[in-house]
């Protein structure tokens, strides 16, 4: 039988991976201190040396608040290995790319804020986020998300605890709202939500075919044929 998958990394390993994914910014390295020779013996929840932006409850990481730190990498996928996370705030940075599908592992997440990252944070809203059943508030405002709000987000079994979804300022979001229930929780000013999505431009026409090459000239008639033709003409004239 195939080998079982490896166990998920310990929270301290996930935090070290997160630090690397974020580019080890000075704003964090000064307080996110760990023993590289004994990582498992380190902890971000030690109250004597608190890690910036990290909140723990009974030695369990429950909140990450990393807003306005000048972070400009892609959104970190290593967060999937912090399943006890209840609140995540990455707002007011310049993160790039799209929302990671891996964040659907955060089944205890109640608050998500990636607002104010600007044009660099883009892509479609993932249908898979409909499985974040604990989510209460999601602030995705003032980025560059595009396309429609996924139909899956409006299903009866999706996002059952959601009370507020803010997508304001994403000018390239368009199309219908998936359900009436979601419409009552949605903030969508400065978008094209509830309007028809623009028709994508037609692809450019292919270039014209090159002209056909000219036909080669006809070869001259053979000599004996020319002599016979001259004789025939002479006979016609003589007649």
């Amino acid at each position: 039988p195939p080998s079982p998958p490896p166990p998920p990394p310990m929270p301290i390993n996930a935090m070290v991976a997160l630090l690397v994914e974020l580019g080890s910014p000075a704003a964090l390295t000064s307080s996110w201190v760990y023993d590289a020779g004994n990582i498992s013996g380190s902890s971000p929840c030690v109250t004597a040396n608190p890690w910036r932006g990290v909140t723990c409850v009974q030695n369990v990481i429950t909140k990450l608040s990393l807003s306005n730190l000048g972070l400009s990498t892609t959104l970190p996928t290593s967060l999937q290995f912090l399943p006890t996370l209840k609140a995540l705030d990455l707002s007011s940075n310049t993160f790039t790319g799209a929302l990671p599908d891996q964040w659907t592992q955060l089944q205890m997440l109640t608050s998500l804020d990636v607002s104010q990252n600007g044009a660099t944070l883009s892509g479609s809203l993932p249908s898979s986020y409909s499985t974040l059943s604990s989510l209460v508030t999601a602030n995705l405002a003032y980025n560059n998300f595009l396309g429609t709000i996924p139909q899956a987000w409006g299903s009866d079994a999706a996002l059952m605890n959601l009370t507020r979804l803010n997508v304001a300022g994403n000018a390239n979001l368009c199309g219908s709202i998936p359900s009436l229930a979601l419409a009552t929780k949605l903030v969508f000013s400065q978008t094209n939500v509830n309007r028809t999505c623009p028709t994508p431009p037609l692809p450019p026409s292919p270039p014209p075919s090159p002209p056909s090459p000219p036909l080669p000239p006809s070869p001259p008639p053979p000599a004996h044929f020319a002599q016979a033709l001259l004789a025939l003409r002479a006979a016609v004239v003589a007649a």
Side-chain angles (χ1 to χ4, degrees):
S3 301
M10 296 173 58
I12 181 60
N13 297 84
M15 292 297 291
V16 171
L18 173 61
L19 184 64
V20 172
E21 269 197 281
L22 294 175
S24 300
L28 296 179
T29 52
S30 58
S31 65
W32 288 28
V33 179
Y34 60 93
D35 182 357
N38 182 27
I39 291 180
S40 61
S42 305
S43 173
C45 295
V46 176
T47 54
N49 299 292
W51 287 29
R52 181 176 183 176
V54 179
T55 300
C56 298
V57 175
Q58 297 180 345
N59 280 332
V60 172
I61 300 170
T62 58
K63 181 178 180 180
L64 276 179
S65 182
L66 305 178
S67 65
N68 201 25
L69 294 180
L71 305 175
S72 57
T73 63
T74 56
L75 291 173
T77 59
S78 52
L79 288 171
Q80 66 182 302
F81 300 118
L82 296 173
T84 57
L85 205 59
K86 294 184 177 181
L88 176 60
D89 184 358
L90 301 177
S91 63
S92 301
N93 290 291
T94 51
F95 281 107
T96 63
L99 292 170
D101 282 323
Q102 292 90 336
W103 286 5
T104 56
Q105 300 297 317
L106 302 176
Q107 287 297 307
M108 296 180 68
L109 195 67
T110 61
S111 174
L112 172 64
D113 190 348
V114 294
S115 63
Q116 302 280 355
N117 276 278
T120 54
L121 188 56
S122 59
S124 302
L125 301 179
S127 294
S128 57
Y129 278 33
S130 62
T131 62
L132 292 173
S133 56
S134 298
L135 199 62
V136 176
T137 62
N139 190 350
L140 314 179
Y142 297 100
N143 295 306
N144 193 27
F145 296 121
L146 50 85
T148 60
I149 297 174
Q151 288 295 317
W153 290 19
S155 69
D156 292 340
L159 302 169
M160 292 180 292
N161 290 298
L162 190 71
T163 61
R164 182 179 174 87
L165 171 61
N166 189 349
V167 297
N170 288 277
N172 291 315
L173 280 180
C174 59
S176 61
I177 301 172
S179 70
L180 180 60
L182 187 61
T184 63
K185 306 165 186 177
L186 189 64
V187 179
F188 58 95
S189 58
Q190 300 177 55
T191 72
N192 283 301
V193 172
N194 240 11
R195 300 175 187 170
T196 303
C197 292
T199 303
L202 295 173
S205 301
S209 302
S212 302
L215 295 173
S218 301
H224 68 273
F225 179 79
Q227 292 173 355
L229 184 59
L230 289 173
L232 178 60
R233 286 179 179 171
V236 171
V237 171

